[in-house]
């Protein structure tokens, strides 16, 4: 019996190009079709989007195949069947309860943060069911400034973290992120890190870009410096091409090093 291989990708920036075209390359779809025909190959989209937002984008792109699993809001896990998603109830309930308990006890942190943002930045403040405050910085430079401020404040809140993607910030319990969600899916499916690949491009992808979670790590050429450095440090692959073309390049590279049908591995 062939050993399943888990292919975990971020969406925006990693697959979907961030320029004006906002598309996913045909070459990516073709390679994914080939891998799913030939191997026990499972695809996970690990994103900060909601399902409604992700599905709308996939529908706009007329994507010829859907992922097998999705991680939404960087933390909730769902199985995809047809055009519907089905929650991993135990994980998602634990996730929601942990966040509620944490956020209920540190309201003053978000009050102080809101005051700082109003007085010292041009950032927009939003709220959602997943974070008492979601921040939209006005520029990348301002987002870096906000990151420095939050990092200083979080020294007093050991269970609180945040996910940053471009100029957007969302807060979360430190135990729930793209990396812990990927690990839980591996547990559910009985797939080991050596049969897993993780690909990302931005700060919120850093928790899943760990060699302990995926023996194959990759990022596209448009990834932020911190992602490239982490991938290189762990022996992963930094593509020469951007977005989905870069991930296609990385997946083709892994075929040269890894036999998907055997339990054998070489690092990039």
């Amino acid at each position: 019996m062939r050993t399943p291989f888990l292919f975990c990708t971020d969406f925006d920036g990693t697959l979907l190009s961030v320029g004006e075209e906002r598309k996913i390359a045909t070459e990516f779809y073709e390679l994914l079709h080939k891998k799913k025909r030939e191997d026990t190959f499972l695809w996970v989209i690990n994103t900060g989007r909601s399902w409604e937002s992700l599905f709308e984008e996939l529908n706009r792109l007329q994507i010829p195949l859907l992922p097998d699993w999705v991680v939404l809001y960087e933390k909730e896990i769902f199985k995809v069947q047809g055009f519907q998603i089905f929650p991993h109830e135990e994980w998602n309930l634990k996730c929601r309860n942990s966040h509620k308990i944490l956020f209920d006890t540190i309201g003053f942190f978000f009050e102080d943060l809101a005051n700082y943002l109003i007085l010292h930045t041009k950032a927009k403040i939003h709220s959602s069911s997943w974070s008492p405050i979601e921040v939209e910085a006005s520029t990348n430079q301002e987002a870096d400034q906000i990151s420095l401020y939050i990092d200083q404040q979080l020294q007093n809140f050991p269970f609180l973290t945040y996910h940053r993607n471009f100029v957007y910030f969302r807060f979360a319990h430190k135990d729930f992120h793209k990396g812990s969600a990927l690990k839980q899916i591996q547990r559910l499916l009985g797939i080991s890190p050596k049969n897993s690949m993780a690909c990302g491009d931005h700060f919120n992808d850093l928790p899943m870009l760990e060699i302990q979670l995926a023996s194959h790590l990759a990022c596209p050429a448009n990834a932020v410096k911190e992602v490239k450095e982490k991938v290189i440090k762990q022996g992963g692959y930094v593509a020469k091409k951007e977005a989905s073309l870069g991930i296609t390049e990385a997946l083709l590279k892994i075929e040269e090093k890894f036999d998907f049908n055997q339990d054998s591995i070489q690092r990039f």
Side-chain angles (χ1 to χ4, degrees):
M1 183 177 180
R2 291 176 175 177
T3 303
F5 189 89
L6 194 65
F7 179 53
C8 181
T9 68
D10 171 47
F11 187 69
D12 294 277
T14 300
L15 295 182
L16 185 66
S17 57
V18 296
E20 292 183 2
E21 291 185 324
R22 299 287 290 170
K23 67 178 185 179
I24 295 177
T26 302
E27 293 90 331
F28 174 79
Y29 299 141
E30 291 174 348
L31 182 57
L32 208 57
H33 265 305
K34 175 177 177 288
K35 297 311 305 174
K36 291 183 76 66
R37 283 198 309 268
E38 296 177 357
D39 306 297
T40 308
F41 194 89
L42 301 173
W43 179 28
V44 178
I45 291 182
N46 202 334
T47 179
R49 287 178 180 255
S50 66
W51 173 245
E52 291 75 19
S53 173
L54 177 62
F55 186 76
E56 180 181 358
E57 198 67 17
L58 295 175
N59 189 50
R60 178 188 69 81
L61 294 164
Q62 296 184 329
I63 187 169
L65 72 169
L66 292 174
D68 301 283
W69 292 80
V70 290
V71 176
L72 305 174
Y73 302 108
E74 288 126 349
K75 54 185 75 70
E76 283 202 325
I77 298 171
F78 297 84
K79 179 79 172 71
V80 181
Q81 292 182 334
F83 298 102
Q84 294 182 297
I85 56 172
F86 298 88
H88 176 17
E89 296 281 7
E90 182 181 357
W91 173 266
N92 293 352
L93 180 60
K94 180 180 178 182
C95 181
R96 287 178 179 272
N97 288 341
S98 297
H99 279 84
K100 185 178 187 310
I101 292 169
L102 175 62
F103 291 158
D104 284 349
T105 60
I106 58 170
F108 57 93
F109 167 85
F110 296 108
E111 292 175 6
D112 290 345
L113 175 60
N115 289 332
Y116 168 82
L117 294 171
I118 292 168
L119 292 173
H120 300 287
T121 77
K122 296 179 181 179
K124 295 179 181 178
I125 301 173
H126 308 284
S127 63
S128 74
S129 60
W130 263 120
S131 183
I133 282 183
E134 292 190 352
V135 181
E136 180 182 351
S138 60
T139 64
N140 278 316
Q141 183 177 6
E142 185 177 73
D144 291 340
Q145 171 195 334
I146 293 170
S147 285
L148 288 174
Y149 173 80
I150 295 174
D151 288 340
Q152 292 174 347
Q153 303 307 308
L154 288 186
Q155 296 177 24
N156 301 316
F157 301 92
F159 294 102
L160 182 65
T161 189
Y162 66 96
H163 306 306
R164 176 185 171 186
N165 191 26
F166 298 98
V167 297
Y168 301 97
F169 296 78
R170 174 185 292 135
F171 290 88
H173 191 288
K174 71 174 185 63
D175 291 340
F176 298 92
H177 45 70
K178 288 191 176 188
S180 59
L182 170 57
K183 187 173 183 179
Q184 182 63 20
I185 292 174
Q186 289 171 326
R187 287 172 178 164
L188 282 172
L189 302 178
I191 298 177
S192 69
K194 72 177 179 179
N195 287 313
S196 301
M197 181 175 184
C199 308
D201 75 299
H202 223 279
F203 293 108
N204 62 338
D205 299 314
L206 290 170
M208 73 172 176
L209 296 173
E210 294 282 353
I211 201 70
Q212 294 87 355
L213 292 174
S215 294
H216 306 281
L217 302 174
C219 66
N222 56 285
V224 297
K225 176 175 66 73
E226 289 82 355
V227 166
K228 290 180 179 178
E229 289 175 348
K230 186 171 185 179
V231 168
I232 291 171
K233 185 177 181 180
Q234 298 178 93
Y237 185 76
V238 176
K240 298 177 178 63
K241 298 177 182 179
E242 295 188 353
S244 55
L245 285 174
I247 301 307
T248 303
E249 175 190 331
L251 193 51
L252 287 170
K253 192 74 174 178
I254 195 179
E255 286 188 316
E256 301 173 6
K257 302 291 185 180
F258 180 78
D259 184 346
F260 286 93
N261 300 329
Q262 302 294 330
D263 291 332
S264 60
I265 181 173
Q266 292 178 334
R267 296 276 293 284
F268 284 118

